[in-house]
Amino acid sequence: PSVEVPDSAVIIDVRTPEEFASGHVDGAINIPYDTISAKLPALSKIDKNENILLYCRSGRRSAIAKQSLAELGYRKVQDGGGISSLAPRLKACKAETC
């Protein structure tokens, strides 16, 4: 799916820390999808009205994360799907270049 990426979006990689370390979208933060909860310190820094763009490897985990964030009250969450579909539009980096 085509996703409009706002300039001010918080980009969250919901893959495992190992996947994140092997390469990710430049500027993304790593919050594995299965750790998303109201008690997560990284989430407390993100306003519930901020634009958030999620991605993973294929799109399955980012869809789950989008649902989790919606349940926590985040209003502007987009599921970017898999990193390979986002990489051409956003700058991705490999572990050596991040």
Side-chain angles (χ1 to χ4, degrees):
S2 181
V3 173
E4 192 61 40
V5 181
D7 291 337
S8 62
V10 174
I11 303 170
I12 302 176
D13 183 323
V14 299
R15 300 175 300 159
T16 66
E18 294 77 23
E19 287 173 298
F20 183 78
S22 71
H24 53 270
V25 170
D26 196 25
I29 58 173
N30 183 218
I31 303 178
Y33 82 101
D34 56 353
T35 67
I36 291 174
S37 76
K39 296 185 184 91
L40 201 59
L43 277 182
S44 67
K45 297 180 182 122
I46 301 170
D47 188 271
K48 294 196 185 226
N49 289 310
E50 239 177 299
N51 292 309
I52 299 173
L53 177 65
L54 305 170
Y55 74 90
C56 61
R57 186 184 53 78
S58 67
R60 184 183 66 80
R61 290 176 283 181
S62 56
I64 295 168
K66 180 180 180 184
Q67 182 64 40
S68 298
L69 288 170
E71 288 169 6
L72 292 173
Y74 290 86
R75 296 173 184 86
K76 298 180 180 176
V77 182
Q78 291 188 72
D79 179 358
I83 187 171
S84 59
S85 63
L86 279 181
R89 288 179 284 149
L90 298 172
K91 186 178 166 216
C93 54
K94 296 284 181 211
E96 314 81 59
T97 62
C98 289

Coordinates of all heavy atoms in Angstrom, one line a residue:
P1 N 0.8 -1.2 0.0 CA 0.0 0.0 0.0 C 0.9 1.3 0.0 O 1.9 1.3 0.6 CB -0.8 -0.1 1.3 CG 0.0 -1.0 2.2 CD 0.7 -1.9 1.2
S2 N 0.4 2.3 -0.7 CA 1.2 3.5 -0.7 C 0.9 4.3 0.5 O -0.3 4.5 0.9 CB 0.7 4.3 -1.9 OG 1.5 5.5 -2.0
V3 N 1.9 4.7 1.2 CA 1.8 5.4 2.5 C 2.4 6.8 2.3 O 3.5 7.0 1.8 CB 2.5 4.7 3.6 CG1 2.5 5.5 4.9 CG2 1.9 3.3 3.9
E4 N 1.6 7.8 2.7 CA 2.2 9.2 2.7 C 3.0 9.4 3.9 O 2.5 9.2 5.0 CB 1.0 10.2 2.6 CG 1.4 11.6 2.3 CD 2.1 11.8 1.0 OE1 1.6 11.1 0.0 OE2 3.0 12.5 0.9
V5 N 4.2 9.7 3.8 CA 5.1 9.9 5.0 C 5.2 11.3 5.3 O 5.8 12.1 4.6 CB 6.5 9.3 4.7 CG1 7.4 9.4 5.9 CG2 6.4 7.9 4.2
P6 N 4.6 11.7 6.5 CA 4.7 13.1 6.9 C 6.2 13.4 7.3 O 6.9 12.6 7.8 CB 3.8 13.2 8.1 CG 3.1 11.9 8.2 CD 3.8 10.9 7.4
D7 N 6.6 14.7 7.0 CA 8.0 15.1 7.3 C 8.3 14.9 8.8 O 9.4 14.7 9.2 CB 8.2 16.5 6.9 CG 8.2 16.7 5.4 OD1 8.5 15.6 4.7 OD2 8.0 17.8 4.9
S8 N 7.3 15.2 9.6 CA 7.5 15.2 11.1 C 7.2 13.9 11.7 O 7.0 13.8 12.9 CB 6.7 16.3 11.7 OG 5.3 16.1 11.5
A9 N 7.0 12.8 11.0 CA 6.6 11.5 11.6 C 7.7 10.9 12.5 O 8.9 11.0 12.2 CB 6.2 10.5 10.5
V10 N 7.2 10.3 13.6 CA 8.1 9.5 14.4 C 8.1 8.1 13.7 O 7.0 7.5 13.5 CB 7.5 9.3 15.8 CG1 8.4 8.3 16.6 CG2 7.5 10.7 16.5
I11 N 9.2 7.6 13.3 CA 9.3 6.3 12.6 C 9.7 5.2 13.6 O 10.7 5.4 14.3 CB 10.3 6.4 11.4 CG1 9.9 7.5 10.5 CG2 10.4 5.1 10.7 CD1 10.9 7.9 9.4
I12 N 8.9 4.2 13.7 CA 9.1 3.1 14.6 C 9.3 1.8 13.9 O 8.4 1.4 13.1 CB 8.0 3.0 15.7 CG1 7.8 4.3 16.4 CG2 8.3 1.9 16.6 CD1 6.6 4.3 17.4
D13 N 10.4 1.2 14.1 CA 10.7 -0.1 13.6 C 10.2 -1.1 14.6 O 10.8 -1.1 15.7 CB 12.2 -0.2 13.3 CG 12.6 -1.6 12.7 OD1 12.1 -2.6 13.0 OD2 13.6 -1.5 11.9
V14 N 9.3 -2.0 14.3 CA 8.7 -2.9 15.3 C 9.3 -4.3 15.2 O 8.8 -5.2 15.8 CB 7.1 -2.9 15.3 CG1 6.6 -1.5 15.6 CG2 6.6 -3.4 13.9
R15 N 10.4 -4.4 14.5 CA 11.1 -5.7 14.5 C 11.9 -6.0 15.7 O 12.0 -5.1 16.6 CB 12.0 -5.8 13.2 CG 11.2 -5.5 11.9 CD 12.2 -5.5 10.7 NE 13.1 -4.4 10.9 CZ 14.3 -4.2 10.3 NH1 14.7 -5.2 9.4 NH2 15.1 -3.2 10.5
T16 N 12.6 -7.1 15.8 CA 13.4 -7.4 16.9 C 14.7 -6.5 16.9 O 15.1 -6.0 15.9 CB 13.9 -8.9 16.9 OG1 14.8 -9.0 15.7 CG2 12.7 -9.9 16.8
P17 N 15.3 -6.4 18.1 CA 16.6 -5.6 18.1 C 17.6 -6.1 17.2 O 18.4 -5.3 16.6 CB 17.0 -5.7 19.6 CG 15.8 -5.9 20.3 CD 14.9 -6.8 19.4
E18 N 17.7 -7.4 17.0 CA 18.7 -8.0 16.0 C 18.4 -7.6 14.6 O 19.3 -7.3 13.9 CB 18.7 -9.6 16.2 CG 19.1 -10.1 17.5 CD 18.1 -10.0 18.6 OE1 16.9 -9.9 18.3 OE2 18.5 -10.0 19.8
E19 N 17.1 -7.6 14.2 CA 16.7 -7.2 12.9 C 17.0 -5.7 12.7 O 17.5 -5.3 11.7 CB 15.2 -7.4 12.6 CG 14.9 -8.9 12.4 CD 13.3 -9.1 12.4 OE1 12.6 -8.8 13.3 OE2 12.9 -9.5 11.3
F20 N 16.7 -4.9 13.7 CA 17.0 -3.5 13.7 C 18.5 -3.2 13.5 O 18.9 -2.4 12.7 CB 16.4 -2.8 14.9 CG 16.6 -1.3 15.0 CD1 15.7 -0.5 14.3 CD2 17.6 -0.7 15.7 CE1 15.8 0.9 14.3 CE2 17.7 0.6 15.8 CZ 16.8 1.4 15.1
A21 N 19.3 -4.0 14.2 CA 20.7 -3.8 14.2 C 21.3 -4.1 12.8 O 22.3 -3.5 12.4 CB 21.4 -4.6 15.2
S22 N 20.7 -5.0 12.0 CA 21.2 -5.4 10.7 C 20.8 -4.4 9.6 O 21.3 -4.5 8.5 CB 20.6 -6.8 10.4 OG 19.2 -6.7 10.1
G23 N 20.0 -3.4 10.0 CA 19.7 -2.3 9.0 C 18.3 -1.8 9.3 O 17.4 -2.6 9.6
H24 N 18.1 -0.5 9.1 CA 16.8 0.1 9.4 C 16.7 1.4 8.7 O 17.6 1.9 8.1 CB 16.6 0.2 10.9 CG 17.7 1.0 11.6 ND1 18.8 0.3 12.1 CD2 17.8 2.3 11.8 CE1 19.6 1.2 12.7 NE2 19.0 2.4 12.5
V25 N 15.5 2.0 8.7 CA 15.2 3.3 8.2 C 16.0 4.3 9.0 O 15.9 4.3 10.3 CB 13.7 3.6 8.1 CG1 13.5 5.1 7.7 CG2 13.0 2.7 7.1
D26 N 16.7 5.2 8.4 CA 17.5 6.2 9.1 C 16.6 7.1 10.0 O 15.5 7.6 9.5 CB 18.2 7.1 8.1 CG 19.3 8.0 8.7 OD1 19.8 7.6 9.7 OD2 19.6 9.0 8.1
G27 N 16.9 7.2 11.2 CA 16.1 8.0 12.2 C 15.1 7.2 12.9 O 14.4 7.7 13.8
A28 N 14.9 5.9 12.5 CA 13.8 5.1 13.2 C 14.3 4.8 14.6 O 15.4 4.6 14.9 CB 13.6 3.9 12.4
I29 N 13.2 4.6 15.5 CA 13.5 4.0 16.8 C 13.0 2.6 16.8 O 12.0 2.3 16.1 CB 12.9 4.9 17.9 CG1 11.4 5.0 17.8 CG2 13.5 6.2 18.0 CD1 10.7 5.7 18.9
N30 N 13.6 1.8 17.6 CA 13.2 0.3 17.7 C 12.4 0.1 18.9 O 12.8 0.2 20.0 CB 14.5 -0.5 17.7 CG 14.3 -2.0 17.7 OD1 14.9 -2.8 18.3 ND2 13.3 -2.4 16.9
I31 N 11.1 -0.3 18.6 CA 10.2 -0.7 19.7 C 9.6 -2.0 19.2 O 8.6 -2.0 18.4 CB 9.1 0.3 20.0 CG1 9.7 1.7 20.4 CG2 8.2 -0.2 21.1 CD1 8.7 2.8 20.7
P32 N 10.1 -3.2 19.6 CA 9.5 -4.4 19.1 C 8.0 -4.5 19.4 O 7.5 -4.0 20.4 CB 10.2 -5.5 19.9 CG 11.6 -4.9 20.2 CD 11.2 -3.4 20.4
Y33 N 7.2 -4.9 18.4 CA 5.8 -4.9 18.4 C 5.2 -5.6 19.7 O 4.2 -5.1 20.2 CB 5.1 -5.5 17.2 CG 5.0 -7.0 17.2 CD1 3.8 -7.6 17.5 CD2 6.1 -7.8 16.9 CE1 3.7 -9.0 17.5 CE2 6.1 -9.2 17.0 CZ 4.9 -9.8 17.3 OH 4.8 -11.1 17.3
D34 N 5.9 -6.6 20.1 CA 5.3 -7.4 21.3 C 5.7 -6.7 22.6 O 5.3 -7.2 23.7 CB 5.7 -8.8 21.2 CG 7.2 -9.0 21.2 OD1 8.0 -8.0 21.0 OD2 7.7 -10.2 21.3
T35 N 6.4 -5.6 22.6 CA 6.7 -4.9 23.8 C 5.9 -3.6 24.0 O 6.0 -2.9 25.0 CB 8.2 -4.5 23.9 OG1 8.5 -3.5 22.9 CG2 9.1 -5.7 23.7
I36 N 5.0 -3.3 23.0 CA 4.2 -2.0 23.1 C 3.2 -2.1 24.2 O 2.4 -3.0 24.2 CB 3.5 -1.7 21.7 CG1 4.6 -1.4 20.7 CG2 2.5 -0.6 21.9 CD1 4.1 -1.2 19.3
S37 N 3.3 -1.2 25.2 CA 2.4 -1.1 26.3 C 2.4 0.3 26.8 O 3.3 1.1 26.5 CB 2.7 -2.1 27.4 OG 3.8 -1.6 28.1
A38 N 1.4 0.6 27.6 CA 1.3 1.9 28.2 C 2.4 2.3 29.1 O 2.7 3.4 29.4 CB 0.0 2.0 29.0
K39 N 3.1 1.2 29.6 CA 4.2 1.5 30.6 C 5.6 1.7 29.9 O 6.6 1.9 30.5 CB 4.4 0.3 31.5 CG 3.1 0.1 32.4 CD 3.4 -1.0 33.4 CE 2.2 -1.3 34.2 NZ 1.3 -2.3 33.7
L40 N 5.6 1.6 28.6 CA 6.9 1.7 27.8 C 7.4 3.2 27.9 O 6.8 4.1 27.4 CB 6.6 1.3 26.4 CG 7.8 0.8 25.6 CD1 8.5 -0.4 26.3 CD2 7.4 0.5 24.2
P41 N 8.6 3.4 28.5 CA 9.2 4.7 28.6 C 9.3 5.4 27.2 O 9.1 6.6 27.1 CB 10.6 4.5 29.2 CG 10.4 3.2 29.9 CD 9.5 2.4 29.1
A42 N 9.7 4.7 26.2 CA 9.9 5.3 24.8 C 8.6 5.9 24.3 O 8.6 6.9 23.6 CB 10.5 4.3 23.9
L43 N 7.5 5.2 24.6 CA 6.2 5.7 24.2 C 5.8 7.0 24.9 O 5.1 7.8 24.4 CB 5.1 4.6 24.3 CG 5.0 3.6 23.2 CD1 3.9 2.7 23.4 CD2 4.9 4.3 21.8
S44 N 6.1 7.1 26.2 CA 5.7 8.2 27.0 C 6.3 9.5 26.4 O 5.7 10.6 26.7 CB 6.1 8.0 28.4 OG 7.5 8.1 28.6
K45 N 7.3 9.4 25.6 CA 7.9 10.6 25.0 C 7.2 11.0 23.7 O 7.5 12.1 23.2 CB 9.4 10.4 24.7 CG 10.2 10.1 26.0 CD 11.7 9.9 25.6 CE 12.5 9.6 26.8 NZ 13.1 8.3 26.8
I46 N 6.3 10.2 23.2 CA 5.6 10.5 22.0 C 4.2 11.0 22.2 O 3.4 10.2 22.9 CB 5.6 9.2 21.1 CG1 7.0 8.7 20.8 CG2 4.9 9.5 19.8 CD1 7.1 7.4 20.1
D47 N 3.9 12.1 21.8 CA 2.5 12.7 22.0 C 1.5 11.9 21.2 O 1.8 11.4 20.1 CB 2.5 14.1 21.5 CG 1.2 14.8 21.8 OD1 0.3 14.7 21.0 OD2 1.2 15.5 22.9
K48 N 0.3 11.7 21.8 CA -0.7 10.9 21.2 C -1.3 11.5 19.9 O -2.0 10.8 19.2 CB -1.8 10.6 22.2 CG -1.3 9.8 23.3 CD -2.4 9.1 24.1 CE -1.7 8.4 25.3 NZ -2.1 7.1 25.6
N49 N -1.0 12.8 19.6 CA -1.4 13.4 18.4 C -0.3 13.5 17.3 O -0.5 14.1 16.3 CB -2.0 14.8 18.7 CG -3.3 14.7 19.4 OD1 -4.2 14.0 19.0 ND2 -3.4 15.4 20.5
E50 N 0.9 13.0 17.7 CA 2.0 13.0 16.7 C 1.8 12.0 15.6 O 1.2 11.0 15.8 CB 3.3 12.7 17.5 CG 4.3 13.8 17.4 CD 5.6 13.5 18.2 OE1 5.5 13.4 19.4 OE2 6.6 13.5 17.5
N51 N 2.3 12.3 14.4 CA 2.3 11.4 13.3 C 3.3 10.2 13.6 O 4.5 10.5 13.9 CB 2.7 12.0 12.0 CG 1.7 13.0 11.6 OD1 0.5 12.7 11.5 ND2 2.1 14.2 11.3
I52 N 2.8 9.0 13.5 CA 3.7 7.8 13.7 C 3.6 6.9 12.5 O 2.5 6.6 12.0 CB 3.2 7.1 15.0 CG1 3.3 8.0 16.2 CG2 4.1 5.8 15.2 CD1 2.7 7.3 17.5
L53 N 4.8 6.5 12.1 CA 4.9 5.6 10.9 C 5.5 4.3 11.4 O 6.6 4.3 12.0 CB 5.7 6.2 9.8 CG 5.9 5.2 8.6 CD1 4.6 4.9 7.9 CD2 6.9 5.9 7.6
L54 N 4.8 3.2 11.3 CA 5.4 1.9 11.7 C 5.8 1.0 10.5 O 5.2 1.1 9.5 CB 4.3 1.1 12.4 CG 3.6 1.8 13.6 CD1 2.3 0.9 14.0 CD2 4.5 1.9 14.8
Y55 N 6.8 0.2 10.7 CA 7.2 -0.8 9.7 C 7.8 -2.0 10.4 O 8.3 -1.9 11.5 CB 8.1 -0.2 8.6 CG 9.5 0.1 9.1 CD1 10.5 -0.9 8.9 CD2 9.9 1.3 9.6 CE1 11.8 -0.7 9.4 CE2 11.2 1.5 10.1 CZ 12.1 0.5 9.9 OH 13.4 0.8 10.3
C56 N 7.9 -3.1 9.7 CA 8.5 -4.3 10.1 C 9.2 -4.9 8.9 O 9.6 -4.2 8.0 CB 7.6 -5.2 10.8 SG 6.2 -5.8 9.8
R57 N 9.2 -6.3 8.8 CA 9.8 -6.9 7.7 C 8.8 -7.1 6.6 O 9.1 -6.8 5.4 CB 10.4 -8.3 8.1 CG 11.2 -9.0 6.9 CD 11.7 -10.3 7.3 NE 10.6 -11.2 7.8 CZ 9.7 -11.8 7.0 NH1 9.7 -11.7 5.7 NH2 8.8 -12.6 7.6
S58 N 7.6 -7.6 6.9 CA 6.6 -7.9 5.9 C 5.3 -7.1 6.0 O 4.6 -7.0 5.0 CB 6.3 -9.4 5.9 OG 5.6 -9.6 7.2
G59 N 5.1 -6.5 7.2 CA 3.8 -5.8 7.4 C 2.9 -6.4 8.4 O 2.0 -5.8 8.9
R60 N 3.1 -7.6 8.8 CA 2.3 -8.3 9.8 C 2.4 -7.7 11.2 O 1.5 -7.4 11.8 CB 2.6 -9.8 9.8 CG 1.7 -10.6 10.7 CD 2.0 -12.1 10.8 NE 3.3 -12.3 11.4 CZ 3.5 -12.3 12.7 NH1 2.6 -12.1 13.6 NH2 4.8 -12.5 13.2
R61 N 3.7 -7.6 11.6 CA 3.9 -7.0 12.9 C 3.5 -5.6 13.0 O 3.1 -5.1 14.1 CB 5.4 -7.2 13.4 CG 5.7 -8.7 13.6 CD 7.1 -9.0 13.9 NE 7.9 -8.9 12.7 CZ 9.2 -9.1 12.6 NH1 9.9 -9.3 13.7 NH2 9.9 -9.1 11.5
S62 N 3.8 -4.8 12.0 CA 3.4 -3.4 12.0 C 1.9 -3.2 12.1 O 1.4 -2.3 12.8 CB 4.0 -2.6 10.8 OG 3.6 -3.2 9.6
A63 N 1.1 -4.1 11.5 CA -0.3 -4.1 11.6 C -0.8 -4.3 13.1 O -1.7 -3.7 13.6 CB -1.0 -5.1 10.7
I64 N -0.1 -5.3 13.7 CA -0.4 -5.6 15.1 C -0.1 -4.4 16.0 O -0.8 -4.0 16.9 CB 0.3 -6.8 15.6 CG1 -0.2 -8.1 14.8 CG2 0.2 -7.0 17.1 CD1 0.7 -9.3 15.0
A65 N 1.1 -3.8 15.7 CA 1.6 -2.6 16.5 C 0.6 -1.4 16.3 O 0.3 -0.7 17.3 CB 3.0 -2.2 16.1
K66 N 0.1 -1.2 15.1 CA -0.8 -0.1 14.8 C -2.1 -0.3 15.7 O -2.5 0.7 16.3 CB -1.2 -0.1 13.4 CG -2.2 1.0 13.1 CD -2.6 1.1 11.6 CE -3.5 2.2 11.4 NZ -4.0 2.3 10.0
Q67 N -2.6 -1.5 15.8 CA -3.8 -1.8 16.6 C -3.5 -1.5 18.1 O -4.3 -0.9 18.8 CB -4.2 -3.2 16.4 CG -5.4 -3.6 17.2 CD -6.7 -2.8 16.8 OE1 -6.9 -2.6 15.6 NE2 -7.5 -2.4 17.7
S68 N -2.3 -1.9 18.5 CA -1.9 -1.7 19.9 C -1.8 -0.2 20.3 O -2.3 0.2 21.3 CB -0.5 -2.4 20.2 OG -0.6 -3.8 20.0
L69 N -1.2 0.5 19.4 CA -1.1 2.0 19.6 C -2.4 2.7 19.6 O -2.7 3.6 20.4 CB -0.1 2.6 18.6 CG 1.4 2.3 18.8 CD1 2.2 2.7 17.6 CD2 1.9 2.9 20.1
A70 N -3.3 2.2 18.7 CA -4.7 2.8 18.6 C -5.4 2.5 19.9 O -6.1 3.4 20.5 CB -5.4 2.2 17.5
E71 N -5.2 1.4 20.5 CA -5.9 1.0 21.8 C -5.3 1.9 22.9 O -6.0 2.1 23.9 CB -5.7 -0.5 22.1 CG -6.6 -1.3 21.2 CD -6.2 -2.8 21.3 OE1 -5.4 -3.2 22.1 OE2 -6.8 -3.6 20.5
L72 N -4.1 2.4 22.8 CA -3.4 3.2 23.8 C -3.8 4.7 23.6 O -3.3 5.5 24.3 CB -1.9 3.0 23.8 CG -1.4 1.7 24.3 CD1 0.1 1.5 24.0 CD2 -1.8 1.4 25.7
G73 N -4.5 5.0 22.5 CA -5.0 6.4 22.3 C -4.2 7.2 21.3 O -4.4 8.4 21.1
Y74 N -3.3 6.5 20.6 CA -2.5 7.2 19.5 C -3.4 7.4 18.3 O -4.0 6.4 17.8 CB -1.2 6.5 19.2 CG -0.2 6.6 20.3 CD1 -0.2 5.7 21.4 CD2 0.7 7.7 20.4 CE1 0.6 5.9 22.5 CE2 1.6 7.8 21.4 CZ 1.5 6.9 22.5 OH 2.4 7.0 23.5
R75 N -3.5 8.6 17.8 CA -4.5 8.9 16.8 C -4.0 8.9 15.3 O -4.8 8.8 14.4 CB -5.2 10.3 17.1 CG -6.0 10.2 18.4 CD -6.5 11.6 18.8 NE -7.1 11.6 20.1 CZ -6.5 11.8 21.2 NH1 -5.2 11.9 21.3 NH2 -7.2 11.8 22.3
K76 N -2.7 9.2 15.1 CA -2.2 9.4 13.8 C -1.2 8.4 13.5 O 0.0 8.7 13.2 CB -1.6 10.8 13.6 CG -2.7 11.9 13.8 CD -2.0 13.3 13.7 CE -3.0 14.4 13.8 NZ -2.4 15.7 13.8
V77 N -1.6 7.1 13.5 CA -0.6 6.0 13.3 C -0.8 5.4 11.9 O -2.0 5.1 11.5 CB -0.8 4.9 14.3 CG1 0.2 3.8 14.1 CG2 -0.7 5.4 15.7
Q78 N 0.2 5.3 11.1 CA 0.2 4.7 9.8 C 1.0 3.4 9.8 O 2.1 3.4 10.4 CB 0.8 5.6 8.7 CG -0.1 6.8 8.5 CD 0.5 7.6 7.3 OE1 0.3 7.1 6.2 NE2 1.1 8.7 7.5
D79 N 0.5 2.4 9.1 CA 1.2 1.1 9.0 C 1.9 1.2 7.6 O 1.3 1.2 6.6 CB 0.2 0.0 9.0 CG 0.9 -1.4 8.8 OD1 2.1 -1.4 8.6 OD2 0.1 -2.4 8.8
G80 N 3.3 1.4 7.7 CA 4.1 1.5 6.5 C 4.3 0.1 5.8 O 4.9 0.1 4.8
G81 N 4.0 -1.0 6.5 CA 4.2 -2.3 6.0 C 5.7 -2.7 6.1 O 6.3 -2.4 7.1
G82 N 6.2 -3.4 5.1 CA 7.5 -3.9 5.2 C 8.6 -2.9 4.8 O 8.3 -2.0 4.1
I83 N 9.8 -3.1 5.4 CA 10.9 -2.2 5.2 C 11.2 -2.1 3.7 O 11.6 -1.0 3.2 CB 12.1 -2.5 6.1 CG1 13.2 -1.4 5.9 CG2 12.6 -3.9 5.7 CD1 14.3 -1.6 6.9
S84 N 11.1 -3.2 3.0 CA 11.5 -3.1 1.6 C 10.6 -2.2 0.7 O 11.1 -1.6 -0.2 CB 11.5 -4.5 1.0 OG 10.2 -5.1 1.1
S85 N 9.3 -2.0 1.1 CA 8.5 -1.1 0.4 C 8.7 0.3 0.8 O 8.4 1.3 0.1 CB 7.0 -1.5 0.6 OG 6.6 -1.4 2.0
L86 N 9.2 0.6 2.0 CA 9.5 1.9 2.5 C 10.9 2.4 2.1 O 11.1 3.6 1.9 CB 9.4 2.0 4.0 CG 8.1 2.1 4.7 CD1 8.2 2.2 6.2 CD2 7.3 3.3 4.2
A87 N 11.8 1.5 2.0 CA 13.2 1.8 1.8 C 13.4 2.8 0.6 O 14.2 3.7 0.6 CB 14.1 0.6 1.6
P88 N 12.7 2.6 -0.6 CA 13.0 3.5 -1.7 C 12.5 4.9 -1.4 O 13.1 5.9 -2.0 CB 12.1 2.9 -2.8 CG 11.8 1.5 -2.4 CD 11.9 1.5 -0.9
R89 N 11.6 5.1 -0.5 CA 11.1 6.5 -0.2 C 11.7 7.1 1.0 O 11.7 8.3 1.2 CB 9.6 6.4 0.0 CG 8.9 6.2 -1.3 CD 7.4 6.1 -1.2 NE 7.1 4.8 -0.6 CZ 6.0 4.5 0.2 NH1 5.2 5.5 0.5 NH2 5.8 3.3 0.6
L90 N 12.3 6.3 1.9 CA 13.0 6.8 3.1 C 14.4 6.3 3.0 O 14.7 5.2 2.5 CB 12.3 6.3 4.4 CG 10.9 6.7 4.6 CD1 10.3 6.0 5.8 CD2 10.8 8.2 4.8
K91 N 15.3 7.0 3.7 CA 16.7 6.5 3.6 C 16.9 5.4 4.6 O 16.7 5.5 5.8 CB 17.6 7.7 4.0 CG 19.0 7.4 3.9 CD 19.8 8.7 4.3 CE 21.3 8.3 4.5 NZ 21.9 9.1 5.5
A92 N 17.3 4.2 4.1 CA 17.6 3.1 4.9 C 19.1 3.0 5.1 O 19.8 3.4 4.2 CB 17.0 1.8 4.3
C93 N 19.5 2.4 6.2 CA 20.9 2.3 6.4 C 21.2 0.8 6.9 O 20.4 0.2 7.5 CB 21.5 3.3 7.4 SG 20.6 3.3 9.0
K94 N 22.4 0.4 6.5 CA 22.8 -0.9 7.0 C 23.5 -0.8 8.4 O 23.9 0.4 8.7 CB 23.8 -1.6 6.0 CG 23.1 -1.9 4.7 CD 22.3 -3.1 4.8 CE 21.6 -3.4 3.4 NZ 20.3 -4.0 3.6
A95 N 23.8 -1.8 9.0 CA 24.4 -1.7 10.4 C 25.7 -0.9 10.3 O 26.0 -0.1 11.2 CB 24.7 -3.1 10.9
E96 N 26.5 -1.1 9.3 CA 27.8 -0.4 9.2 C 27.6 1.1 9.0 O 28.5 1.9 9.3 CB 28.7 -0.9 8.1 CG 28.7 -2.5 7.9 CD 27.5 -3.0 7.2 OE1 27.2 -2.7 6.0 OE2 26.8 -3.9 7.8
T97 N 26.5 1.5 8.4 CA 26.4 2.9 8.0 C 25.5 3.7 8.9 O 25.3 4.9 8.8 CB 25.9 3.1 6.6 OG1 24.6 2.5 6.5 CG2 26.8 2.4 5.6
C98 N 24.9 3.1 9.9 CA 23.9 3.8 10.8 C 24.7 4.6 11.9 O 25.6 4.1 12.4 CB 23.0 2.8 11.5 SG 21.8 2.1 10.3

